[in-house]
Amino acid sequence: MMRWIKRAGIGCLGLMIAFAIGGFFYLRSLNLDSQPLADPGSTVASLDFMRARVPATRGRVLAVVSSTATFPGIDKRAGFELTELSRAYYVFLANGYQVDIASPSGGEPPMRTDDDMVAADYAFLNDPQARTKLTSSVPIKDVDPSRYAAVYFVGGKGAMFDFPNDPTIQKLVRDVYQSNGVIGAVCHGPAALLEVVLDDGTPLLRGRRATGFTNAEELFLVKDAHALFPYLLQDRMREKSVVFDEAPMYVENLVVDDRLITGQNPWSTWSVAEAMVVALGHTPVPREHTGEELAMQVIDTYHREGRTTAQLAKATRPRADKRLLLMHALVAGMGGRLGEAYRLQALAHD
């Protein structure tokens, strides 16, 4: 998220928020050093939930990433988001599934990393087996749908260009879903589901509850998104008669509609993957929530129940990521919601 905020103009907003919270000395009082960033040297062995790993006897999950490196016709990066792959990848592995990685073109897909990665993201980068699977991703046309209990579509802006109209992706989704498999997608990943039609002629998404990257989230980051994308994902999903579930910007949001599981943004990745495990008939292995997730719980409580209840939620979650709370304060400030910005930054200080 920090990369996104910088792109959207963090400089001016930093001054505004600094003024709102009383300046430099107040920021220092937040003691951000008490929450060190994830270790870039993290490995699979350092992930607590992987130590409780179930033997890989439950079947296979296919993770699909975009092959589109740049926006068509311009030199603007697209690709897929590492965080939306890595976190789900290890959830599936920990819960007894083998995981393969595919892409429309096969080979090494264009990966995007973020500034606020957690241990699982670094572990993926340091995992030779995972990196080999990624750099030699299977072309979608070579995938046998009958091998998979579930398919998970990773987000990233590239998905908007090479997922929706790929007939091999449509067949993959249709075959797995009609075989009682589970379909999951996060952020821009639901673009893969837009044109899927089942054998009885029913569009997969018609009348279904789902979510994806919202118009508000897209336009906050990319002001000319209407011109750069063929359409905005939320608009297109609604055109497909989706009952679209929209949470506040950049707040975790999971929607489960039977065997169709979607998440609104990158912070929904953990919950999407674990909901897919539940839909596959299993209880996910215990996993200590990250500071990001705890912060999301506080922010969600704030939006749903107000500041007082959010303060109580924060008090029971001392590891809630202060940086993420501050980033949401920045987003609110940039949107002109100064009162909300002040209250959110106060949660980082509580």
Side-chain angles (χ1 to χ4, degrees):
M1 185 170 190
M2 292 179 70
R3 158 167 57 85
W4 293 358
I5 296 298
K6 288 174 185 175
R7 185 187 311 154
I10 191 171
C12 293
L13 184 59
L15 293 174
M16 180 175 64
I17 295 299
F19 177 78
I21 65 177
F24 174 74
F25 290 105
Y26 187 85
L27 284 172
R28 288 195 64 181
S29 71
L30 292 170
N31 190 22
L32 297 179
D33 290 340
S34 67
Q35 294 184 337
L37 298 174
D39 179 7
S42 297
T43 65
V44 177
S46 65
L47 303 179
D48 65 292
F49 62 98
M50 287 298 289
R51 293 193 285 272
R53 181 176 179 177
V54 174
T57 58
R58 292 176 172 173
R60 307 183 81 90
V61 174
L62 183 69
V64 183
V65 299
S66 172
S67 295
T68 300
T70 60
F71 282 63
I74 61 172
D75 187 22
K76 181 178 178 63
R77 293 179 62 196
F80 77 93
E81 297 289 340
L82 167 66
T83 61
E84 298 173 28
L85 171 63
S86 53
R87 301 172 191 190
Y89 178 86
Y90 288 120
V91 166
F92 297 140
L93 285 184
N95 285 282
Y97 290 90
Q98 299 178 61
V99 184
D100 297 325
I101 301 175
S103 64
S105 299
E108 184 169 5
M111 179 174 67
R112 299 205 64 177
T113 58
D114 213 331
D115 296 326
D116 46 0
M117 297 200 300
V118 300
D121 308 320
Y122 287 116
F124 188 95
L125 294 178
N126 296 324
D127 182 343
Q129 185 176 26
R131 292 302 298 269
T132 297
K133 288 183 181 181
L134 180 62
T135 57
S136 57
S137 69
V138 180
I140 285 290
K141 64 180 180 60
D142 294 338
V143 169
D144 178 359
S146 68
R147 301 184 67 203
Y148 296 99
V151 180
Y152 167 69
F153 290 95
V154 178
K157 299 189 186 305
M160 293 289 288
F161 301 103
D162 59 7
F163 279 8
N165 299 311
D166 187 327
T168 55
I169 285 181
Q170 295 168 22
K171 181 179 186 302
L172 169 66
V173 174
R174 180 170 57 249
D175 289 356
V176 171
Y177 187 78
Q178 292 181 157
S179 299
N180 291 316
V182 173
I183 304 297
V186 71
C187 199
H188 291 92
L193 313 179
L194 292 172
E195 305 300 331
V196 176
V197 178
L198 304 179
D199 285 345
D200 65 1
T202 303
L204 173 67
L205 291 180
R206 180 185 293 170
R208 307 295 295 272
R209 292 182 59 248
T211 191
F213 208 55
T214 67
N215 290 359
E217 290 169 325
E218 197 77 83
L219 291 167
F220 179 80
L221 299 173
V222 184
K223 300 302 182 186
D224 55 348
H226 283 292
L228 294 177
F229 290 104
Y231 40 72
L232 299 189
L233 181 59
Q234 179 177 356
D235 286 345
R236 189 63 168 166
M237 291 179 75
R238 283 178 167 163
E239 289 173 7
K240 295 294 183 179
S241 300
V242 170
V243 181
F244 192 91
D245 190 303
E246 179 179 4
M249 288 200 303
Y250 312 123
V251 174
E252 177 189 355
N253 184 26
L254 168 72
V255 177
V256 177
D257 187 333
D258 191 25
R259 292 177 289 111
L260 177 65
I261 299 169
T262 51
Q264 180 171 316
N265 48 45
W267 295 274
S268 310
T269 300
W270 292 109
S271 57
V272 166
E274 290 180 335
M276 290 178 68
V277 171
V278 172
L280 287 164
H282 306 286
T283 299
V285 298
R287 180 180 61 80
E288 184 178 44
H289 285 177
T290 66
E292 270 192 355
E293 291 176 279
L294 297 175
M296 276 295 168
Q297 293 169 14
V298 174
I299 294 165
D300 180 66
T301 300
Y302 169 81
H303 285 293
R304 291 178 184 274
E305 302 179 47
R307 177 181 180 178
T308 300
T309 306
Q311 287 174 320
L312 295 174
K314 173 63 165 54
T316 62
R317 297 166 174 81
R319 292 193 303 106
D321 190 336
K322 297 179 181 180
R323 295 175 182 85
L324 189 55
L325 292 169
L326 290 174
M327 287 298 103
H328 275 260
L330 291 172
V331 169
M334 292 180 74
R337 303 185 304 279
L338 299 185
E340 181 179 320
Y342 179 82
R343 290 187 289 272
L344 286 171
Q345 63 75 33
L347 288 172
H349 191 270
D350 289 343

